[in-house]
Amino acid sequence: AILIKTVTKLVRHHLMPSLLVEQNSSPKAYKRLALKLSPEVSMRQLALVMLCDHRGRNGKGHEPLDTDVQQYDLFLEKSEQAKVVHEAEKPVLLGRHVMDIVKPGPEMGRLLKRAYEIQIDEAVTDVDELKRRILKKNS
């Protein structure tokens, strides 16, 4: 089952590295892709599949193409800048940070999900700021 999930994610998203590089995408886009791939696939693994795909398109013979690896390098560089080469960004606001305000359950889950979205979309990593933002919106 894990192998199937891994291969499915690699196949489904193998064009994304080129697309993100071509569109000069923000770190947020890299973080979101890493989250979609997680936990089975890393951005580095996806980059290698993209590179193999590019090099394997030799219509004139059986030798791998000696293609330009600039997109591969740029994708890994941007993934590194977003700090998601090996795994998705971990949420900084956890249930223990809001247990004094909301009981464990669906409401807490909704608030933590919102905090994680703010963390990824706006690069907010301060626990107190995230807590303030999700509770303000909830009021």
Side-chain angles (χ1 to χ4, degrees), residues 18-86:
S18 296
L19 188 63
L20 291 179
V21 169
E22 287 168 10
Q23 294 178 346
N24 196 26
S25 296
S26 69
K28 169 175 70 172
Y30 286 81
K31 290 178 182 186
R32 287 201 174 276
L33 178 58
L35 186 59
K36 285 179 186 176
L37 298 171
S38 180
E40 295 84 10
V41 176
S42 72
M43 297 288 267
R44 178 162 167 59
Q45 290 169 321
L46 186 65
L48 288 169
V49 169
M50 179 265 300
L51 183 62
C52 291
D53 185 48
H54 283 277
R55 287 191 166 172
R57 295 178 182 261
N58 188 352
K60 297 180 181 176
H62 298 292
E63 294 299 314
L65 294 172
D66 187 23
T67 61
D68 181 18
V69 294
Q70 185 178 5
Q71 281 190 333
Y72 171 82
D73 291 336
L74 283 171
F75 178 75
L76 285 179
E77 182 182 315
K78 293 276 196 156
S79 296
E80 184 68 44
Q81 289 169 1
K83 298 181 175 132
V84 293
V85 172
H86 303 290

